[in-house]
Amino acid sequence: MMELKSTGKFRIPGRGYVYTILNPIECNDFAHIIGQFVLIDGMKFKVLGVERFAHMPPWHVGESLGLLVAYD
């Protein structure tokens, strides 16, 4: 299970929480994380979606991402 540290979080009413993280790997899509369980700040979540902050792939290590999550 991937372990991540958040740089912030915010709530989207009716949807859940988005945790902002720094991208841990270079990637062209997020199939490796969407629908998976991750640990963010030591808490287990299922990733429902990724906020890409509007640019084309690839996404580089250290770029800011937002993970829309559901509590397990």
Side-chain angles (χ1 to χ4, degrees):
M1 185 176 315
M2 190 178 294
E3 293 186 41
L4 304 164
K5 181 169 175 24
S6 71
T7 58
K9 82 173 184 179
F10 57 94
R11 182 174 175 267
I12 299 176
R15 294 288 314 262
Y17 284 91
V18 174
Y19 282 83
T20 54
I21 63 156
L22 299 179
N23 190 20
I25 64 170
E26 185 161 336
C27 57
N28 289 315
D29 64 30
F30 297 99
H32 65 282
I33 198 167
I34 295 174
Q36 302 299 313
F37 286 96
V38 297
L39 288 175
I40 302 174
D41 299 337
M43 297 180 293
K44 185 178 177 183
F45 300 99
K46 183 174 184 179
V47 178
L48 303 176
V50 176
E51 170 54 63
R52 295 155 173 89
F53 301 116
H55 78 74
M56 298 297 294
W59 285 271
H60 301 285
V61 171
E63 287 187 86
S64 202
L65 300 174
L67 301 182
L68 176 64
V69 299
Y71 289 89
D72 178 40

